[in-house]
Amino acid sequence: MAALYHPQYNAIMPRISLLNVAHQRISGVLGTGDLAIDATIGNGHDTVFLLNQVAPAGQVFGFDLQPAAIASTWAKVSGTANSDCLTLIQASHALMGSHIPLAYHGKIKAIMFNLGYLPGSDKSIITQADTTIMALNSAAQLLTGGGIITVMAYPGHPGGGLETAQVESWCQQQDQQRFATDSICSPEQPVAAPRLLIISKQW
């Protein structure tokens, strides 16, 4: 794992996992009884992490278009004590606003995005810039004050560069007084390296 560069501090950070950073930041705001969304469940690791944070009284909603992702994730939690806290939805993350109960709008504490393709599957099936931006617009509305959105973006794969650029542009266009964004990436391959965007809603 390469060292990471944090523009806010203009410094090289230790060699750490971007996903671990996302989990650490979310752990600081998400707890038992809270509401969370995994916008792209993929292999289900982020879903399980969120579930462990909010159980036994909270709720996690997970989205993915691919049946294999839904099945794999459900297999990880089916039969466990926390399974009642999980709702999996086979739908685009762009439609999350219509699938989340209205009573929960503006009350979601954490929303995770892990863009790109499902590991071990058809790499031509990827998240798309237009639907990801739609999903981020919904996420910003669903999120409560003090909540957090994390986005793992991968500009190195075909289509990933455009999506990453669009996501970064979206972050820049938000009201900076209301949405604070941190960007963490590797300095060794700044164009193609994965990056983590952390968006905190102030109010």
Side-chain angles (χ1 to χ4, degrees):
M1 176 65 66
L4 303 175
Y5 177 67
H6 197 315
Q8 181 179 354
Y9 302 110
N10 193 32
I12 303 298
M13 299 176 66
R15 295 188 177 189
I16 51 178
S17 162
L18 288 174
L19 186 57
N20 285 346
V21 174
H23 286 185
Q24 289 168 6
R25 288 290 295 271
I26 288 176
S27 295
V29 301
L30 187 67
T32 301
D34 286 333
L35 303 169
I37 296 173
D38 187 346
T40 51
I41 63 174
N43 53 28
H45 295 311
D46 288 339
T47 310
V48 172
F49 161 74
L50 293 172
L51 193 59
N52 289 337
Q53 292 292 121
V54 306
Q59 187 71 30
V60 174
F61 297 90
F63 292 85
D64 208 291
L65 278 172
Q66 298 190 66
I70 300 290
S72 174
T73 300
W74 184 246
K76 287 180 172 67
V77 301
S78 180
T80 69
N82 296 337
S83 61
D84 288 344
C85 298
L86 177 62
T87 300
L88 296 178
I89 302 163
Q90 188 180 337
S92 168
H93 55 355
L95 303 176
M96 71 169 73
S98 63
H99 285 281
I100 301 298
L102 286 175
Y104 294 160
H105 285 214
K107 297 180 180 179
I108 307 296
K109 203 62 174 290
I111 304 175
M112 297 191 75
F113 289 79
N114 200 329
L115 306 179
Y117 53 83
L118 176 64
S121 70
D122 185 349
K123 294 183 179 181
S124 68
I125 303 176
I126 61 173
T127 53
Q128 302 290 331
D130 55 348
T131 51
T132 294
I133 296 304
M134 291 172 62
L136 285 170
N137 285 330
S138 292
Q141 296 298 317
L142 291 166
L143 203 66
T144 187
I148 187 172
I149 299 169
T150 64
V151 183
M152 277 295 306
Y154 304 90
H157 70 82
L162 173 62
E163 184 176 38
T164 300
Q166 292 283 346
V167 170
E168 291 176 327
S169 176
W170 181 88
C171 291
Q172 294 169 1
Q173 292 170 19
Q174 303 312 299
D175 180 350
Q176 301 302 302
Q177 298 299 314
R178 193 175 189 192
F179 294 94
T181 300
D182 288 339
S183 178
I184 306 173
C185 63
S186 168
E188 298 176 2
Q189 294 178 311
V191 176
R195 63 203 61 195
L196 171 64
L197 298 165
I198 304 173
I199 303 110
S200 303
K201 190 173 185 177
Q202 306 303 303
W203 48 270

